[in-house]
């Protein structure tokens, strides 16, 4: 039965208002050919599927990440798991361009940390290559992450707006860095002076009357995971309060479909990217900060794209109204992307989310960025161009190893590469003239990769190049040596597993000579067995003063370690320079360095 004319006009007027079209004639002309018959085909008329492609925590990984950092765990049909090589901008571009085919309504969004802690190919040039690559990728929008603040708000503004580096100038003759074609969103990051967001708090994607708003926030705790200089003059507000505030603002503007890009995440119960997060009920397979955030964000928001923890998950966590809502994360380094289908209702201008009709609710899945597909030629050309500029520095041999030395790829509390870095810092800062360090401590999050035995280029197996060492420690943090009492040192060890680190322990990597037992069967600070904390076999004296080396991030109390803020600070060389010097002094082609033998931290489970 055909629709009655007056009913058709009413529906048309409603849609015309939402689309902002001046006349009914203009509206009808803009409608798809199959959308004119409201009587026989109401669903195609009323709804349209919008594809939302997303990823997070790229960290400037233009080339395929090496070692375990470049693999994802995949669950097989028989229940076993296997490691699958993944990632690299040449493959990410191909994956996303292929996924977009056949989807006239497609948006690509990111959950922050696109730059910062980047390998040399991007980091050497202050991440201009990554922004250029993301422009070519047609990224539509991203939130800021904590690493977008590694070089401060002024440099972040340059990433958005363009212009050559203030001290190093333009890297290519005749080429001026143009900045990001996509908006960086920083809704909860405000200037202490003005009280206003330092970048856009939100943006609205529009096509043929479809309007979807994006709000971007980073974790409120960003100042705890970035050097003080990087966040100077900035305030970081609560994620839930900020998102809810701007969701109301968007709603008042008639934008009813909203996605939150949140650089904060959770920990899935499985490390396989394709395991179900909802197998024991909605959201049952995830824990961590994002759970409370998801439960507190207004129902006006239809999906949450998250990041920060470098984990892979697709979860359904009900919103405060009890309706299903997707919460997703695509691991890191461009190894996965998430494909989410949002069903947009043209009459309500909102995304369909209902527990009554789950088949109409958003559907989402993570996909591997496989290296068994063609490379995107434009990305290959970009990598080659910047690689040529970096080559004189990147390929220089720094040291030699006899086997893989895992850092990021180790799930143990004491990581082989952590031992090596801490030993390098102790060696570099132990002489009286360089600080007189007796102990060195390294934060695990600062170890960004592994040292891989297999050659990454033409350098040969076992050769550690400057570029590979840079990838492990890309921050160029200055080393500090400070006075700490034994009591402060013990408190710092307890802070690894208590306070803000209770739910997600951050186990410091310690130099040779420092030993202790970590009893994970206990809770909080009691996990550190105090009478086992020893230096060279002698119990740490709470009243005695020790000289302790660490990077400036830790020395400023970063990562939840206020006890490490000491006295009589001496500033030394950069962490990378100290690491490179140690590799050069302690390895050669004929006598490569073996992975350190662990045994400094005894873990009771």
């Amino acid at each position: 039965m055909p629709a009655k004319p007056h009913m058709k006009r009413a529906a048309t007027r409603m849609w015309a208002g939402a689309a902002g079209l001046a006349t009914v004639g203009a509206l009808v002309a803009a409608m798809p050919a199959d959308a004119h018959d409201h009587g026989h085909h109401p669903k195609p008329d009323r709804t349209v599927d919008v594809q939302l492609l997303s990823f997070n925590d790229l960290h400037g990984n233009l080339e395929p990440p090496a070692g375990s950092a470049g693999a994802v765990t995949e669950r097989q049909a028989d229940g076993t798991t296997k490691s699958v090589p993944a990632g690299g901008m040449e493959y990410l571009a191909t994956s996303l361009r292929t996924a977009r085919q056949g989807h006239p309504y497609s948006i690509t969004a990111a959950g922050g940390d696109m730059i910062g802690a980047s390998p040399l190919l991007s980091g050497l040039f202050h991440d201009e290559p990554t922004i250029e690559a993301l422009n070519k990728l047609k990224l539509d929008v991203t939130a800021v992450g904590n690493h977008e603040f590694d070089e401060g708000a002024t440099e972040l503004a340059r990433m958005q707006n363009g212009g050559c580096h203030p001290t190093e100038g333009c890297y290519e003759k005749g080429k001026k860095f143009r900045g990001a074609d996509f908006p960086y969103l920083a809704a909860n990051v405000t200037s202490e002076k003005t009280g206003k967001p330092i970048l856009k708090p939100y943006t609205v994607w529009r096509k043929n009357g479809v309007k979807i708003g994006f709000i971007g926030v980073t974790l409120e705790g960003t100042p705890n995971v970035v050097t003080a200089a990087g966040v100077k003059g900035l305030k970081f507000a609560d994620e839930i309060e900020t998102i809810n505030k701007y969701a109301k603002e968007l709603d008042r503007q008639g934008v009813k479909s909203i996605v939150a890009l949140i650089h904060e995440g959770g920990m899935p119960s499985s490390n396989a990217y394709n395991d179900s997060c909802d197998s024991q009920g909605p959201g049952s397979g995830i824990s961590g900060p994002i759970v409370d955030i998801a439960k507190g964000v207004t129902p006006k928001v239809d999906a949450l794209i998250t990041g920060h923890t470098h984990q892979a998950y697709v979860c359904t966590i009900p919103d405060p109204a009890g309706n299903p809502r997707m919460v997703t994360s695509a691991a890191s380094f461009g190894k996965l992307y998430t494909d989410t289908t949002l069903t947009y209702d043209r009459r309500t201008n909102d995304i369909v989310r209902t527990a009554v009709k789950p088949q109409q609710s958003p559907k989402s899945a993570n996909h591997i960025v496989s290296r068994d597909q063609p490379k995107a030629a434009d990305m290959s050309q970009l990598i080659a161009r910047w690689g040529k500029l970096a080559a004189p520095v990147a390929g220089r041999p720094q040291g030699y190893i006899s086997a893989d030395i895992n850092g990021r790829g180790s799930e143990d509390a004491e990581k082989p590469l952590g031992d090596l870095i801490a030993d390098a810092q102790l060696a570099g800062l132990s002489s009286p003239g360089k600080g007189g360090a007796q102990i060195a401590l390294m934060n695990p999050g600062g170890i960004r990769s592994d040292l891989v035995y297999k050659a990454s280029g033409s350098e040969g197996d076992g050769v550690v190049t400057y570029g590979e060492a840079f990838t492990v420690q890309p921050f160029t943090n200055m080393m500090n040596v400070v006075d700490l009492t034994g009591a402060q040192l013990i408190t710092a060890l307890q802070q690894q597993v208590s306070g803000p680190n209770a739910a997600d322990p951050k186990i410091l990597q310690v130099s040779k000579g420092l030993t202790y037992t970590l009893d994970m069967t206990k809770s909080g600070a009691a996990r550190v067995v105090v009478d086992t904390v020893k230096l060279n076999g002698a119990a740490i004296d709470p009243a005695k003063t020790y000289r302790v080396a660490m990077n400036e991030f830790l020395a400023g109390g970063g990562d939840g370690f206020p006890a490490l803020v000491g006295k009589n600070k001496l500033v030394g060389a950069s962490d990378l320079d100290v690491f490179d010097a140690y590799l050069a002094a302690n390895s050669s082609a004929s006598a490569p360095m073996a992975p350190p033998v662990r045994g400094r931290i005894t873990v009771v489970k």
Side-chain angles (χ1 to χ4, degrees):
M1 177 177 177
K4 294 180 181 179
H6 73 275
M7 292 176 63
K8 191 170 188 177
R9 285 197 298 272
T12 301
R13 282 198 299 271
M14 184 181 298
W15 191 40
L21 295 174
T23 66
V24 172
L27 169 64
V28 173
M31 291 174 69
D34 64 349
H36 292 256
D37 185 354
H38 285 251
H40 293 294
H41 304 285
K43 288 186 179 179
D45 293 347
R46 181 166 172 172
T47 64
V48 59
D49 282 346
V50 177
Q51 179 189 58
L52 177 59
L53 302 174
S54 58
F55 59 98
N56 50 276
D57 296 276
L58 179 65
H59 291 289
N61 278 266
L62 301 180
E63 297 176 292
S68 61
V72 295
T73 300
E74 182 178 61
R75 180 78 60 188
Q76 305 302 295
D78 62 1
T80 61
T81 60
K82 74 172 183 178
S83 182
V84 181
M89 185 56 75
E90 296 157 302
Y91 302 110
L92 179 61
T94 297
S95 290
L96 293 180
R97 289 165 182 171
T98 301
R100 289 171 187 151
Q101 292 175 10
H103 295 275
Y105 296 86
S106 183
I107 311 169
T108 303
D113 275 5
M114 295 296 96
I115 59 174
S118 304
L120 187 95
L121 180 64
S122 186
L124 187 63
F125 306 106
H126 298 275
D127 280 315
E128 289 183 20
T130 294
I131 297 298
E132 181 185 343
L134 292 172
N135 288 343
K136 290 180 180 294
L137 194 68
K138 302 299 183 185
L139 181 64
D140 289 298
V141 59
T142 184
V144 295
N146 55 290
H147 282 285
E148 263 83 18
F149 295 92
D150 284 348
E151 297 189 52
T154 301
E155 177 65 2
L156 175 56
R158 188 178 79 87
M159 292 292 100
Q160 178 71 86
N161 302 318
C164 295
H165 193 271
T167 58
E168 297 180 21
C170 299
Y171 294 112
E172 296 178 287
K173 189 175 181 180
K175 287 187 178 181
K176 182 180 178 182
F177 176 57
R178 79 180 197 217
D181 293 343
F182 50 89
Y184 258 113
L185 304 183
N188 67 331
V189 188
T190 56
S191 165
E192 289 182 347
K193 288 184 179 180
T194 67
K196 296 179 180 179
I198 63 168
L199 294 169
K200 284 183 177 182
Y202 59 81
T203 191
V204 180
W205 182 91
R206 303 170 188 267
K207 184 174 182 179
N208 296 340
V210 174
K211 299 183 294 185
I212 299 182
F214 289 85
I215 303 168
V217 298
T218 186
L219 66 153
E220 184 182 7
T222 290
N224 297 325
V225 292
V226 175
T227 57
V231 294
K232 187 176 181 181
L234 304 177
K235 284 188 175 181
F236 294 79
D238 179 83
E239 304 95 337
I240 298 173
E241 291 176 6
T242 302
I243 293 168
N244 291 352
K245 169 187 172 181
Y246 287 109
K248 283 184 181 179
E249 190 168 315
L250 283 166
D251 186 63
R252 286 196 297 268
Q253 294 174 15
V255 179
K256 307 295 184 181
S257 300
I258 302 172
V259 175
L261 307 175
I262 308 172
H263 192 70
E264 178 60 290
M267 298 299 294
S269 55
S270 168
N271 65 351
Y273 86 93
N274 55 337
D275 275 352
S276 172
C277 184
D278 300 330
S279 59
Q280 303 300 314
S284 59
I286 191 169
S287 60
I290 199 60
V291 176
D292 288 338
I293 292 173
K295 290 178 178 178
V297 165
T298 172
K300 295 180 188 297
V301 173
D302 298 294
L304 278 59
I305 305 300
T306 74
H308 188 55
T309 58
H310 291 204
Q311 301 299 310
Y313 49 82
V314 174
C315 301
T316 307
I317 301 178
D319 69 18
N323 286 323
R325 183 162 61 187
M326 299 307 308
V327 180
T328 69
S329 175
S332 62
F333 303 164
K335 294 179 291 188
L336 298 175
Y337 71 91
T338 312
D339 190 337
T340 301
T341 300
L342 303 174
T343 301
Y344 185 93
D345 188 326
R346 292 186 182 277
R347 187 175 300 174
T348 64
N349 298 319
D350 206 349
I351 302 301
V352 178
R353 289 194 298 117
T354 170
V356 178
K357 295 182 179 179
Q359 70 277 8
Q360 291 185 331
S361 297
K363 300 174 182 63
S364 189
N366 277 326
H367 301 275
I368 293 181
V369 176
S370 168
R371 297 181 194 169
D372 295 329
Q373 61 180 319
K375 296 179 179 180
D378 57 339
M379 294 301 178
S380 297
Q381 291 165 5
L382 180 149
I383 289 168
R385 197 180 89 241
W386 286 103
K388 187 175 180 180
L389 291 175
V393 176
R396 188 173 70 223
Q398 290 298 139
Y400 302 84
I401 56 175
S402 63
D404 289 355
I405 303 179
N406 285 338
R408 204 75 174 181
S410 171
E411 296 183 0
D412 295 327
E414 181 185 344
K415 305 177 189 301
L417 190 50
D419 285 355
L420 175 56
I421 291 172
D423 288 351
Q425 294 176 351
L426 179 62
L429 298 157
S430 61
S431 68
K434 294 186 177 180
Q438 300 163 276
I439 298 166
L441 304 173
M442 177 63 189
N443 56 306
I447 306 169
R448 304 303 299 183
S449 188
D450 306 324
L451 286 182
V452 179
Y453 177 78
K454 184 176 175 58
S456 58
S458 60
E459 75 276 10
D461 291 347
V463 178
V464 179
T465 65
Y466 181 85
E468 290 166 342
F470 185 98
T471 298
V472 168
Q473 291 205 103
F475 299 109
T476 318
N477 275 321
M478 304 311 292
M479 290 302 303
N480 290 184
V481 185
V482 299
D483 284 350
L484 294 179
T485 64
Q488 285 177 294
L489 181 61
I490 290 170
T491 298
L493 295 178
Q494 292 171 331
Q495 287 170 348
Q496 300 175 113
V497 289
S498 63
N501 293 329
D504 184 17
K506 293 184 174 66
I507 307 304
L508 295 167
Q509 305 300 286
V510 301
S511 56
K512 59 185 177 184
L514 184 65
T515 56
Y516 71 98
T517 296
L518 197 59
D519 188 348
M520 298 305 288
T521 65
K522 298 180 180 178
S523 61
R527 288 172 166 174
V528 175
V529 183
V530 173
D531 59 7
T532 67
V533 184
K534 298 178 180 179
L535 179 60
N536 299 321
I540 290 290
D541 183 346
K544 185 178 177 180
T545 297
Y546 298 85
R547 293 290 285 167
V548 183
M550 65 195 88
N551 60 47
E552 60 184 319
F553 170 64
L554 276 180
D559 261 356
F561 290 101
L564 293 180
V565 179
K567 298 179 179 178
N568 298 325
K569 179 169 69 175
L570 182 145
V571 179
S574 76
D575 52 5
L576 180 59
D577 286 346
V578 168
F579 186 49
D580 284 340
Y582 188 78
L583 289 172
N586 292 276
S587 68
S588 66
S590 59
M593 183 179 293
V597 177
R598 287 170 288 180
R600 303 171 192 188
I601 305 172
T602 301
V603 180
V604 178
K605 295 182 180 180

